[in-house]
């Protein structure tokens, strides 16, 4: 069974640009969560989608947005990039939305110059 | 109130020894406490998890101890091995959904 796939794995952007990251969950999983990982702030919850609906949202500015498609694949978008957005963005999938095991992908490492 | 405090920040243990990592939380609404293991270049992987209706859970060499009244929980790794060298995160969740609040992480190094 294929794991969680995140693309791209690495990307470099400049301040002011926008970026879209993609996540394909494990087949059959309907919940996708996004987390930001930085050395300073650790792992922080961005948002969770279940059946194309946002279920939870973390404490991030509106520049961070996401969506989920009918096939459970998810994308997150960061607009007007800032230097502080440099981070590893992790996607996690789960069968449902009630504390089943979260399966994380290997992440998309974003560097903002 | 949403914080999960984790200690120590780093830990060096001899092969065969016991590794102990501690976490504390404040929000009494938390009712799910997982531990994740992360190797460099990889995403976190669930190691073991506990709910507050039990005080201890053991899976192989890994044990979670949970103290509801003190709002603390800990991970014990028995017979630590060099392959256990990784970063360990505690986390807490509560209510609906899969939102987790993570501790800051502990870098474990097991010396052979």
């Amino acid at each position: 069974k294929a794991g969680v796939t995140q693309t791209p794995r690495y990307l470099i952007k400049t301040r002011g640009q926008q970026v879209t990251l993609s996540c394909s969950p494990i087949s059959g999983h309907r919940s996708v969560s996004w987390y930001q990982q930085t050395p300073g702030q650790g792992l922080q919850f961005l948002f969770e989608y279940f059946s194309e609906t946002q279920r939870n949202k973390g404490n991030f500015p509106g520049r961070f947005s996401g969506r989920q498609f009918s096939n459970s694949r998810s994308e997150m978008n960061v607009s007007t990039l800032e230097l502080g957005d440099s981070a590893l963005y992790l996607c996690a999938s789960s069968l449902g939305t009630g504390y089943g095991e979260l399966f994380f992908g290997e992440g998309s490492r974003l560097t903002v110059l | 109130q949403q914080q999960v405090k984790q200690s120590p920040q780093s830990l060096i243990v001899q092969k065969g020894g016991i590794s102990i990592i501690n976490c504390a939380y404040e929000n009494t609404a938390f009712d799910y406490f997982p531990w994740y293991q992360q190797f460099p270049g990889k995403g976190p992987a669930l190691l073991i998890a506990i709910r507050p209706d039990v005080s201890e859970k053991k899976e192989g060499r890994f044990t979670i101890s949970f103290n509801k009244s003190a709002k603390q929980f800990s991970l014990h790794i028995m017979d630590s091995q060099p392959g256990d060298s990784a970063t360990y995160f505690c986390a807490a969740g509560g209510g609906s959904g899969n939102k987790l609040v993570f501790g800051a992480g502990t870098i474990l190094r097991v010396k052979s």
Side-chain angles (χ1 to χ4, degrees):
Chain A
K1 201 174 193 181
V4 177
T5 303
Q6 292 189 244
T7 57
R9 291 291 314 280
Y10 303 91
L11 66 167
I12 300 173
K13 294 285 186 180
T14 57
R15 280 180 300 173
Q17 288 186 310
Q18 73 165 13
V19 66
T20 299
L21 309 177
S22 179
C23 172
S24 293
I26 292 172
S27 177
H29 285 195
R30 297 170 62 195
S31 169
V32 172
S33 302
W34 289 89
Y35 288 81
Q36 181 196 64
Q37 186 173 25
T38 61
Q41 299 298 316
L43 278 153
Q44 292 189 290
F45 173 80
L46 280 156
F47 24 65
E48 178 196 0
Y49 288 88
F50 179 77
S51 294
E52 302 178 67
T53 301
Q54 189 179 86
R55 290 296 306 269
N56 281 298
K57 190 177 192 310
N59 189 26
F60 280 82
R63 299 186 296 107
F64 292 81
S65 63
R67 59 177 175 168
Q68 187 180 33
F69 303 96
S70 59
N71 62 359
S72 294
R73 190 177 71 84
S74 177
E75 289 181 348
M76 68 163 282
N77 183 275
V78 187
S79 62
T80 319
L81 285 165
E82 301 177 359
L83 295 178
D85 297 333
S86 294
L88 180 67
Y89 290 89
L90 291 160
C91 167
S93 79
S94 180
L95 271 173
T97 185
Y99 296 118
E101 181 175 355
L102 292 185
F103 293 84
F104 282 86
E106 295 190 338
S108 292
R109 183 164 295 282
L110 170 66
T111 301
V112 181
L113 302 176
Chain B
Q1 246 203 340
Q2 286 293 317
Q3 278 190 318
V4 175
K5 295 182 180 179
Q6 183 173 346
S7 63
Q9 191 172 15
S10 62
L11 182 60
I12 300 175
V13 173
Q14 288 292 131
K15 179 182 175 183
I18 303 174
S19 303
I20 302 174
I21 305 170
N22 300 299
C23 284
Y25 64 97
E26 294 180 357
N27 188 345
T28 55
F30 288 145
D31 62 359
Y32 175 69
F33 303 91
W35 285 89
Y36 283 83
Q37 179 190 57
Q38 186 177 27
F39 293 104
K42 302 292 185 181
L46 179 66
L47 206 53
I48 187 172
I50 198 168
R51 293 192 183 270
D53 53 343
V54 295
S55 60
E56 186 174 283
K57 183 175 180 180
K58 183 177 180 180
E59 289 185 1
R61 296 185 294 109
F62 301 92
T63 299
I64 298 180
S65 296
F66 184 81
N67 186 328
K68 187 174 181 178
S69 60
K71 291 185 284 186
Q72 295 175 347
F73 57 110
S74 61
L75 175 70
H76 295 233
I77 305 175
M78 312 300 287
D79 186 26
S80 299
Q81 299 296 313
D84 296 331
S85 297
T87 301
Y88 292 81
F89 295 93
C90 63
S96 64
N98 287 328
K99 176 181 177 180
L100 293 176
V101 179
F102 281 86
T106 296
I107 301 172
L108 171 64
R109 179 184 164 205
V110 181
K111 295 174 66 175
S112 55

